[in-house]
């Protein structure tokens, strides 16, 4: 192998540096570093609001983690430097080994010495008596038939026939490693170094006030449309258009101007029968001075639009300010004066209840609500609960609770309910009030019943009638005496119950009745209360014009029980009214993700090169064989046959054995002739 | 069989095409015909990429069949039985649907082993995807035991049985997936999709692919001693599958979320599982390596387990094959992400863990090739690699949340 005469290296600083950068140890260290950082990044949730981290880790660790960049690890300077080192070490590696490998591809090592061949693991030595010309001819053509390329050379005392196949294997190395460099370079271009520097130097300032409307964002946080590389998102309502996107960076955002305007004509969601979303689609119109006519296109998930180097993806959807017609049912007004309200999602509505001002902040509307329900065989089934809307009710002090109300009744155990969920903080889950719905699928009957319960005149009438009925069997003067007390108590019970539900009743009992009699008294109280409310309810049914002479139907009596359950829990509700959605006009917004990625083609190219390179490297093996034929005959020509290979030695050893046998056969030797 | 595979055993100078037998040509003709038949019948439902995948798959099957002769029979049997199953099965589902069941219930009623078709043995016990996959599970489990048993006996017979059983188990699994594919369309046309979309389906895929890669090496290296060990991983996967099915009802065919509705899924997922399968196999070979390495000379282990250099070789080849396919899968995943989410790489946990797995095996390959590492350190490393892989495959879905939210446990 005398071609491999290495130039003696002079160990200056440069050489040591190159040696270090191209060393496998550095490569492995860098790869491990990336792997470990990646693990941390998947365990520690990335890019959450800083508030969450402070709660989780406390201020000390939080500051520490911020300074280490652990919340945005993949953007941290040290992680990016690791990637840079990967690029560097791989480049150095290719530059150092590449040229040698290219030479190697065509180097048959024709000057290999007799001794080196004999030292090979795979070899054979023969003495062959034959005509030398035809011996060499035979060897050459046999090795060609075995699929090898041949070079031969007459040396002073021997002829060398050098055979090689799979030289391209070396290209595999170059492709694979160059591909890593190419992909890294593509990523760096995509990463947009100049912008990162501008942020670092303060020329561009990250805006952290999320409530600021786009038009008010200061110029320092707005990037012009000549920015070469970006990736951001924007939400456009149907009928609206946008020419900016928001780039989320660290704990704030930047605004990126687009070189064109995108209008959303229509947004569609298709659903499966089960109600789960099947596809999202947006009809877009691109307005651009460079276009003769606006460009219309439809995008959907997995089918983006590429326009002027910008890829426009369907990413998400949300409400685009749906218009809602609402009716507020007061919960503490005996006269049940309802109030009709027109509102729109993301808009606030001011209203007054008993002169106390409240603000309704409408925050979301959803047309479909697919919820899992338990089915018989405990497999998951889905059911559409229909439209709902979410809002907050804020009082004068600024305190707010959040509500979610459904438009249509939902069936449970054969009964229909209007669902209204409430929670006092975003961290809680909604607790639902199951308001029984009347035959028209409305809350009207419940509201009337509840209002009547708070109407002093009505209550007092029903109470006295109920008590008269209850005491019907007693002697009259005793009856009068008892009934007076009972009247007062019952009216009080009704009013307590209507106002604050079961809690109020329990408190009242705790306060006013000695322990010894409590149990019995409670039973009596509940009995009276129930009878009274029952009569009140029957009044309502009669008002509705129902015929109850045959008794109350099962569903109407279930209604009564359900209504009492609701009122029993009414104290958790918090709002002085219930909002019913009468009608809506659905306006959707499409969440678009827009990216300009100039490194894209480079990355794709790199990926293709990587795959090709790996397959070449693994599956095309570079194999070499040498046949050394002595020029001088002493009882036969001495022939040395040897082979080597740079990987899969085991396979090669087996193949070599077969080639050896076939070659021996071809040369007219029996295998025993081998003096090995 | 094995002789035909050996690249240097063909007659020298004979062009490759002349080495093919009549069966090879018939097989190629059938595959080509099948691809064109599907194209003719379903082209309207496919986009250009899917047509590409169809014909690419056809070519791939022919290539595989010519290279690995035993696989021809597998592919043909799976195709024929699946077609037979679908033809028989479909009217029965339709009839039940006409009786007012929805597609899901109809299929459930038929997969129920006690269904109404009392008379038809085959129909009853083989045709629904649930039954076929049930058979797969059973046969893999049994084959594992027989492979181990085979190590202790002189006779070749149990080993041959185990091999056949593994082939049949793989075939049953593939048939199960094929029928399941059709079932998803029978439930409701727009639910229909290739069965590689949730954890249940990919576990079936994983078992089959690992078994097939194993069978290839069994033939290549002419040893059955690895069978029990490799099938141990498959049996573990099967155990998980059964638990997942019976405890979580995970075998239900669910509609796809919009992000998964893409031709990319058809190549990304199988490529990934070739990678996982190879890595799992390499890990089990690593285990055998360690057992053999520590076995006293002349003891049982030393007698029945293959020599170390062979184990090392299988381990390397399998990791190399896995690495190559895993690279393809990751690249395809990145390209798909670019198309669906607007970015090649979002450092989503699943992606990040794929990178970790990839770097891990890249390091393994480098140490072996450039530093010449061999021996038990590499074996240990390949065993540990399985745990890294397992975390990427399962752990991420269990413990970390992200964009790849299919198949949560
Ligand atoms: C992520 C980065 C890298 C990847 C994916 C990668 C991949 C590969 C693969 C797959 C092989 C073939 C191994 C085998 O056949 O068993 C290989 C070989 C090799 N790699 Fe890397 N490599 C990377 C980085 C590097 C770096 C940074 C260096 C230099 C320090 C390097 C130096 C080598 C060398 C010298 C070989 C042997 C080539 C031969 O003799 O055939 N690699 N690499």
């Amino acid at each position: 192998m005398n071609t491999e005469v290495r130039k003696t290296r002079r160990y200056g600083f440069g050489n040591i540096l190159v040696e270090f950068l191209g060393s496998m140890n550095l490569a492995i260290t860098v790869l491990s570093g990336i792997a470990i950082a990646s693990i941390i990044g998947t365990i520690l949730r990335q890019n959450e609001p800083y508030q969450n981290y402070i709660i989780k880790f406390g201020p000390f660790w939080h500051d520490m983690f911020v300074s280490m960049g652990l919340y945005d690890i993949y953007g941290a300077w040290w992680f990016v430097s690791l990637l840079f080192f990967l690029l560097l070490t791989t480049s150095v590696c290719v530059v150092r080994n590449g040229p040698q490998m290219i030479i190697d591809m065509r180097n048959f090592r024709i000057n290999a010495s007799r001794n080196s061949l004999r030292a090979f693991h795979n070899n054979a030595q023969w003495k062959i008596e034959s005509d030398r010309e035809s011996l060499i001819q035979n060897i050459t053509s046999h090795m060609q038939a075995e699929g090898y390329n041949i070079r031969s050379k007459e040396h002073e005392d021997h002829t060398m026939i050098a055979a090689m196949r799979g030289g391209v294997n070396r290209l595999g190395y170059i492709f694979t490693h160059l591909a890593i460099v190419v992909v890294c370079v593509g990523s760096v271009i995509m990463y947009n170094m100049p912008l990162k520097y501008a942020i670092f130097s303060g020329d561009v300032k990250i805006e952290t006030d999320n409530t600021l409307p786009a038009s008010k964002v200061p110029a320092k946080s707005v990037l012009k449309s000549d920015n070469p590389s970006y990736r951001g998102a924007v939400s456009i309502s149907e009928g609206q258009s946008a020419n900016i996107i928001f780039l989320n960076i660290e704990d704030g955002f930047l605004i990126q101007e687009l070189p064109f305007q995108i209008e959303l004509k229509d947004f569609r969601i298709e659903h499966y029968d089960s109600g789960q979303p099947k596809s999202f689609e947006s009809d877009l119109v691109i307005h651009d001075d460079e276009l003769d006519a606006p460009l219309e296109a439809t995008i959907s998930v997995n089918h983006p639009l590429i326009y002027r180097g910008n890829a426009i993806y369907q990413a998400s959807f949300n409400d685009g300010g749906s218009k809602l017609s609402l009716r507020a049912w007061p919960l503490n007004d005996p006269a049940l004066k309802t109030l009709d309200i027109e509102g729109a999602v993301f808009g606030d509505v001011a209203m007054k209840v008993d002169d106390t001002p409240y603000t309704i902040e409408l925050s979301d509307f959803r047309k479909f609500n697919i919820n899992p329900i338990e089915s018989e065989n405990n497999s998951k089934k889905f059911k559409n609960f229909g439209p709902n809307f979410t809002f907050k009710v804020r009082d004068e002090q600024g305190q707010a609770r959040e509500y979610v109300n459904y438009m249509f009744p939902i069936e449970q155990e054969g009964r229909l309910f209007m669902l209204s969920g409430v929670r006092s903080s975003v961290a809680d889950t909604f607790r639902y009030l199951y308001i029984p719905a009347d035959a028209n699928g409305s809350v009207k009957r419940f509201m009337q019943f509840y209002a009547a319960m708070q109407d002093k005149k009505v209550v007092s009438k029903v109470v006295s009638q109920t008590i008269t009925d209850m005491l019907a069997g007693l002697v009259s003067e005793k009856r009068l005496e008892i009934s007076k007390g009972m009247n007062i108590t019952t009216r009080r019970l009704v009013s307590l119950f209507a106002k604050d539900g079961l809690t109020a009743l329990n408190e009242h009992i705790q306060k006013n009745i000695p322990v010894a009699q409590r149990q019995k008294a409670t039973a009596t109280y509940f009995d009276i209360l129930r009878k009274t409310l029952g009569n009140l309810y029957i009044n309502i049914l009669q008002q509705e014009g129902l015929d109850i002479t045959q008794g109350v139907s099962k569903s109407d009596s279930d209604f009564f029980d359900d209504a009492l359950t609701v009122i029993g829990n009414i104290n958790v509700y918090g709002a002085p009214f219930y909002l019913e959605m009468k009608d809506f006009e659905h306006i959707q917004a499409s969440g678009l993700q827009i990216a300009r990625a100039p490194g894209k083609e480079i990355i794709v190219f790199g990926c293709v090169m990587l795959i090709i390179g790996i397959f070449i490297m693994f599956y095309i093996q570079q194999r070499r064989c040498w046949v050394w034929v002595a020029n001088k005959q002493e009882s036969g020509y001495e022939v040395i046959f040897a082979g080597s290979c740079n990987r899969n030695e085991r396979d090669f050893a087996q193949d070599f054995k077969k080639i050896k046998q076939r070659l021996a056969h071809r040369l007219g030797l029996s295998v025993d002739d081998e003096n090995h | 069989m094995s002789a035909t595979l050996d690249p240097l055993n063909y007659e020298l100078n004979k062009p490759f095409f002349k080495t093919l037998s009549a069966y090879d040509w018939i097989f190629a003709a059938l595959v080509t015909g099948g691809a064109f038949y599907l194209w003719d019948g379903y082209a309207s439902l496919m986009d250009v990429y899917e047509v590409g995948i169809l014909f690419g798959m056809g070519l791939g099957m022919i290539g595989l069949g010519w290279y690995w002769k035993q696989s021809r029979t597998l592919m043909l049997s799976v195709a024929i039985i699946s077609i037979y199953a679908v033809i028989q099965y479909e009217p029965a589902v339709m009839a039940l649907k006409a009786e007012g069941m929805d597609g899901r219930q109809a299929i459930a009623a038929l997969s129920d082993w006690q269904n109404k078709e009392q008379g038809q043995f085959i129909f009853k016990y083989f045709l629904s995807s649930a039954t076929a996959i049930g058979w797969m599970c059973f046969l893999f489990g049994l084959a594992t035991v027989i492979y181990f048993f085979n190590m202790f006996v002189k006779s070749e017979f149990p080993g041959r049985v185990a091999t056949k059983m593994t082939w049949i188990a793989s075939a049953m699994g593939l048939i199960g997936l094929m029928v399941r594919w059709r079932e998803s369309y029978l439930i409701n046309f727009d639910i229909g999709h290739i069965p590689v979309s949730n954890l249940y389906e990919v576990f079936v895929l994983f078992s089959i692919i690992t078994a097939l890669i194993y069978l290839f090496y069994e033939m290549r290296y002419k040893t059955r001693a690895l069978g029990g060990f490799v099938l141990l991983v498959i049996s573990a996967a099967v155990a998980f599958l059964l638990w997942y099915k019976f405890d979580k009802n995970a075998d239900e065919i669910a509609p796809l979320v919009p992000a998964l509705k893409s031709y990319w899924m058809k190549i990304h997922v199988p490529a990934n599982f070739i990678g996982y399968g190879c890595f799992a196999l390499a890990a089990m070979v690593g285990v055998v390596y360690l057992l053999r390495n520590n076995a006293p000379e002349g003891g049982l282990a030393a007698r029945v387990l293959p020599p170390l250099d062979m184990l090392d070789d299988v381990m390397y080849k399998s990791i190399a094959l896995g690495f190559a396919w895993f690279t393809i899968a990751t690249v395809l995943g990145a390209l798909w992400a670019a198309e669906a989410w607007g970015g090649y790489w979002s450092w989503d946990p699943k992606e990040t863990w794929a990178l970790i797995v990839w770097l891990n095996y890249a390091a393994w390959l480098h140490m072996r090739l450039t530093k010449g590492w061999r021996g038990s350190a590499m074996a240990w490393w390949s065993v540990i690699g399985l745990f890294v892989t397992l975390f990427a495959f399962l752990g991420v879905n269990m413990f970390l949340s992200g964009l790849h939210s299919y198949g949560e446990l």
Side-chain angles (χ1 to χ4, degrees), chain A residues 25 45 273 600 658 662, chain B residues 6 8 188 344 371 401:
Chain A
N25 289 345
R45 293 187 133 211
D273 285 349
K600 190 176 152 167
K658 286 184 193 135
R662 285 193 292 253
Chain B
D6 195 328
L8 286 183
N188 192 331
Y344 289 91
K371 300 244 153 162
S401 64

Side-chain angles (χ1 to χ4, degrees), chain B residues 294-352:
Chain B
N294 297 323
E297 219 32 67
L300 179 74
R303 247 185 307 121
V304 297
L305 297 178
L308 289 178
D309 71 323
M310 185 187 121
L311 292 170
D312 176 76
D313 203 50
V314 181
M315 195 159 68
Y316 169 68
K317 291 234 175 83
S318 165
I319 284 182
L321 182 66
F323 185 76
W325 282 94
F326 200 72
T327 308
I328 295 184
T330 310
V331 164
L332 291 175
L335 297 180
W336 183 6
E339 194 173 299
W341 300 329
Y344 289 91
W345 200 263
S346 338
W347 295 102
D348 156 78
K350 193 90 183 174
E351 284 172 0
T352 311

Side-chain angles (χ1 to χ4, degrees), chain B residues 84 88-96 99 106 109-128:
Chain B
Y84 174 77
Q88 302 292 307
Y89 184 57
E90 212 166 301
V93 176
M94 291 302 179
L96 288 173
E99 280 176 28
L110 278 177
S111 12
D112 200 349
W113 288 20
Q114 256 63 54
N115 68 55
K116 343 169 144 187
E117 304 284 323
Q118 295 291 342
Q120 294 195 23
F121 178 79
I122 297 180
F123 194 85
K124 205 163 132 189
Y125 293 118
F126 292 103
L127 289 186
S128 82

Side-chain angles (χ1 to χ4, degrees), chain A residues 491-511:
Chain A
R491 284 208 300 269
R492 174 134 189 79
L493 289 180
V494 171
S495 116
L496 278 172
F497 182 64
K499 188 153 175 295
D500 263 334
L502 286 177
T503 338
L505 280 189
N506 284 333
E507 269 171 21
H508 178 77
I509 292 169
Q510 302 265 339
K511 245 198 317 221

Side-chain angles (χ1 to χ4, degrees), chain A residues 303-332:
Chain A
H303 299 282
L305 166 71
I306 314 280
Y307 176 68
R308 279 181 74 187
N310 285 262
I312 306 171
Y313 304 93
Q314 178 71 62
S316 61
F317 63 93
N318 46 20
D319 195 83
S322 295
K323 297 192 181 125
L324 309 180
S325 305
L326 308 172
R327 170 168 294 170
W329 294 85
L331 292 175
N332 49 14

